[in-house]
Amino acid sequence: MIRSLLLVALASAALSLLNCRAASAADALLIENVTVLSPEQAQPRGNRYVLVRDGRIAAVSDRPIEAPGARRLDGTGKFLTPGIMDGHVHVSDAIGLPFGSTDPAMGAMEKQFLVQQPRSYLYFGVTQVVDLINRPARVAEFTGQPQHPDTFRCGVAPVVDGYPLVFMEPAARYAQFDDYIYEPANAGKHPLPAGADPAEHTPEAVVERIAKSGAICVKTTLEDGFGDRSDWPLMSMDTLRRLRAATKKHGLLLLVHANALDMQRKAVEAQVDIIAHGLWNWNELQVQPGIPPAIAEHLRNIRGHGIGYQATLRVIPGVTDLLDPTLLDDPAYAKVVPPAILKWYRTDAAQWFRTEVFGPKPDAAAILNSRRAADASWANSEHGMRALRYLYELGQPLLLGSDTPSAPTYGNQPGYDTFKEMQLMSRAGIPLTAIFAAATINNARAYRMEKDYGTVEKGKIANLLLLDANPLADVDAWSRIDRVILHGEPIDRESLAAH
Ligand SMILES: [Zn+2]
């Protein structure tokens, strides 16, 4: 947090120097005659006047406000909401590009992607993000772009050889993730890497380092394998409890990657703050209709312990979308993907991850198999939707987290995917008011930022959206954005599009 606040402060200082403006009058913005939607209010409030000064909301009134010198925005017929917060993103990688390529053309595309990425979030109204991968230099590159959402991050604390380290070459694992935790119970098969000091890799030492790095949260993983696998090493309950205690001591939130029933049960037992994925792997209960009693009991435990739950409904469709021949033709998709990268996504070389997951094309049997795999994935995804709906019915405050990108799939794109996550929540039967709260006040509360974000109220940071349609009438209104207001600065939506 300290790091990102510092960057925000430096960036705004640089902006005011550039503009050579007197701070008070020229930095004020008056939005007139607008319908205000704020999640703490049961009803929309029409004909409101909202004054923004120095990047914060200074007044919300039902009468015209005198503000000489303020810039004015006519809000007639429009809707003013808080900006969207996506509580689960990863900004480190250029999506879909092969890892570790030395081809200069790939390097150029990666650069283009990283420059466009923060603007893509803003294009879809996402004004706050939480990055859940521990690569501070990449996050700094994201916030180094002139226009970017307010950005917060978690430090990642996986167990030695566990997920996601299991996907990396042993030699490269610990260069990228040096805040790994040594699990004595796994000592035989998963010893500490040569030369590492065990005292540096206890839960306490790791959390202390992460706290010093400016992160607001620690994310660990409970994942014993995707699909049929269940042989990846896990943290013991004892270590997980120590991690819980250490994060509390440093005032950090504890997030856990877990999407299977057995893994999520451990997360509940350890009383984590937020489970960073929906429950779509129901283990042996997979074939049962509705909500099987054991699933219901687990979801009631999540609710009962006040544990946050990010449904991340886009994880599976983000991969199966690679089989959708129309994906790259979606005009909204082109708004967030630079043209050269969009062109490259259409090439055979860009299908490397699809081939890895679904097998090669164009052999007919392979296509059939890949369809079967996609159908099976979709069945899983629908479990996640059922679980989410059940939690909603229990009164759980839902959270918005898209997990963009959840894999090296170009099916997940920044901002675009956050919007699709909201559409999927709607498809899962979640009412529009609950989706609105998930995207705004609930995320702000879950990340302990409600002082600054989540509502249209005096004193909050003026990260706002001026919409052409009512998002409490239609979820698609979240993509009918007239202007994105970032720290009081109105930005034309189309100026944020990729070009
Ligand atoms: Zn993730």
Side-chain angles (χ1 to χ4, degrees):
M1 172 122 95
I2 290 163
R3 183 193 300 267
S4 47
L5 285 180
L6 189 66
L7 283 170
V8 168
L10 286 174
S12 49
L15 264 180
S16 38
L17 279 176
L18 276 176
N19 295 340
C20 291
R21 283 207 233 114
S24 58
D27 284 347
L29 172 72
L30 181 60
I31 306 157
E32 299 180 289
N33 196 34
V34 74
T35 298
V36 170
L37 302 181
S38 190
E40 86 290 2
Q41 299 277 339
Q43 297 297 328
R45 290 169 292 163
N47 310 105
R48 287 314 197 258
Y49 295 78
V50 178
L51 180 66
V52 171
R53 228 185 256 289
D54 302 322
R56 290 201 183 245
I57 298 170
V60 180
S61 172
D62 56 1
R63 274 177 234 158
I65 297 174
E66 288 298 318
R71 283 179 294 171
R72 287 157 188 272
L73 262 184
D74 181 9
T76 307
K78 297 186 194 293
F79 300 84
L80 189 73
T81 72
I84 292 168
M85 177 163 176
D86 191 330
H88 187 156
V89 307
H90 304 283
V91 302
S92 297
D93 293 306
I95 296 172
L97 267 50
F99 295 117
S101 168
T102 51
D103 178 352
M106 289 295 147
M109 278 196 271
E110 181 180 27
K111 178 89 193 142
Q112 283 181 25
F113 183 92
L114 295 175
V115 167
Q116 173 59 32
Q117 178 173 227
R119 293 153 43 82
S120 296
Y121 278 110
L122 294 172
Y123 184 88
F124 276 99
V126 180
T127 55
Q128 296 91 245
V129 295
V130 185
D131 182 275
L132 267 50
I133 281 278
N134 196 27
R135 295 180 68 189
R138 283 305 186 103
V139 175
E141 201 170 324
F142 182 85
T143 53
Q145 302 302 325
Q147 292 169 313
H148 58 85
D150 296 352
T151 306
F152 305 89
R153 65 176 188 83
C154 285
V156 174
V159 73
V160 169
D161 291 337
Y163 173 78
L165 303 170
V166 69
F167 283 111
M168 294 163 211
E169 290 301 320
R173 281 177 192 175
Y174 303 107
Q176 210 184 97
F177 293 95
D178 49 2
D179 291 325
Y180 56 87
I181 291 175
Y182 171 59
E183 173 54 67
N186 300 343
K189 270 177 107 174
H190 304 283
L192 202 64
D197 176 358
E200 293 293 308
H201 296 281
T202 63
E204 294 77 15
V206 164
V207 171
E208 190 171 342
R209 274 203 300 282
I210 291 175
K212 279 190 187 139
S213 79
I216 62 163
C217 39
V218 171
K219 181 187 149 193
T220 192
T221 59
L222 289 173
E223 179 64 72
D224 62 358
F226 293 163
D228 297 334
R229 297 195 68 147
S230 59
D231 58 341
W232 299 347
L234 293 172
M235 206 172 267
S236 66
M237 270 317 291
D238 179 53
T239 302
L240 190 55
R241 284 203 191 91
R242 282 170 60 190
L243 187 61
R244 169 70 285 187
T247 48
K248 273 201 174 141
K249 182 181 155 202
H250 289 277
L252 299 181
L253 294 165
L254 179 59
L255 278 73
V256 168
H257 159 108
N259 54 54
L261 178 61
D262 51 347
M263 300 292 120
Q264 287 204 355
R265 278 175 170 156
K266 290 175 194 279
V268 172
E269 197 182 331
Q271 308 264 318
V272 306
D273 293 298
I274 299 175
I275 299 176
H277 284 295
L279 179 68
W280 60 72
N281 180 349
W282 290 5
N283 300 134
E284 70 284 358
L285 306 169
Q286 214 64 345
V287 292
Q288 294 191 24
I291 298 283
I295 299 288
E297 187 196 350
H298 168 67
L299 295 171
R300 283 197 302 271
N301 282 337
I302 289 179
R303 171 76 187 120
H305 288 104
I307 293 172
Y309 175 98
Q310 299 178 335
T312 62
L313 298 173
R314 279 291 296 162
V315 169
I316 292 167
V319 178
T320 56
D321 277 0
L322 293 174
L323 300 168
D324 175 359
T326 68
L327 171 70
L328 300 179
D329 300 325
D330 179 355
Y333 188 91
K335 296 290 186 185
V336 296
V337 180
I341 300 177
L342 186 56
K343 198 171 155 201
W344 183 76
Y345 285 160
R346 296 182 189 278
T347 65
D348 284 345
Q351 312 315 314
W352 67 273
F353 184 65
R354 185 180 78 181
T355 305
E356 209 174 287
V357 179
F358 299 112
K361 257 201 352 171
D363 164 70
I367 290 176
L368 189 66
N369 268 337
S370 64
R371 283 219 189 99
R372 280 198 196 114
D375 287 348
S377 300
W378 256 108
N380 264 357
S381 195
E382 278 165 5
H383 286 122
M385 290 202 223
R386 266 188 255 162
L388 181 66
R389 169 81 200 180
Y390 187 80
L391 265 177
Y392 164 74
E393 285 166 0
L394 291 176
Q396 171 89 355
L398 305 185
L399 305 177
L400 174 66
S402 64
D403 193 13
T404 306
S406 54
T409 165
Y410 61 73
N412 294 138
Q413 291 294 338
Y416 177 84
D417 217 46
T418 310
F419 173 57
K420 292 213 139 187
E421 179 77 22
M422 294 165 89
Q423 286 180 317
L424 274 183
M425 288 171 89
S426 177
R427 189 169 151 187
I430 305 303
L432 294 167
T433 46
I435 296 172
F436 180 36
T440 56
I441 187 64
N442 293 354
N443 260 0
R445 282 192 189 125
Y447 281 107
R448 301 176 186 156
M449 299 177 189
E450 67 269 39
K451 202 168 77 47
D452 289 327
Y453 301 107
T455 62
V456 184
E457 285 180 289
K458 186 179 172 182
K460 301 254 174 146
I461 291 175
N463 284 0
L464 304 164
L465 305 179
L466 195 59
L467 302 175
D468 287 322
N470 182 356
L472 300 183
D474 180 359
V475 73
D476 290 349
W478 289 112
S479 188
R480 294 193 55 199
I481 299 171
D482 174 67
R483 282 191 178 79
V484 178
I485 299 165
L486 192 62
H487 290 263
E489 188 69 33
I491 307 169
D492 267 339
R493 188 193 199 193
E494 282 309 311
S495 75
L496 296 162
H499 52 260

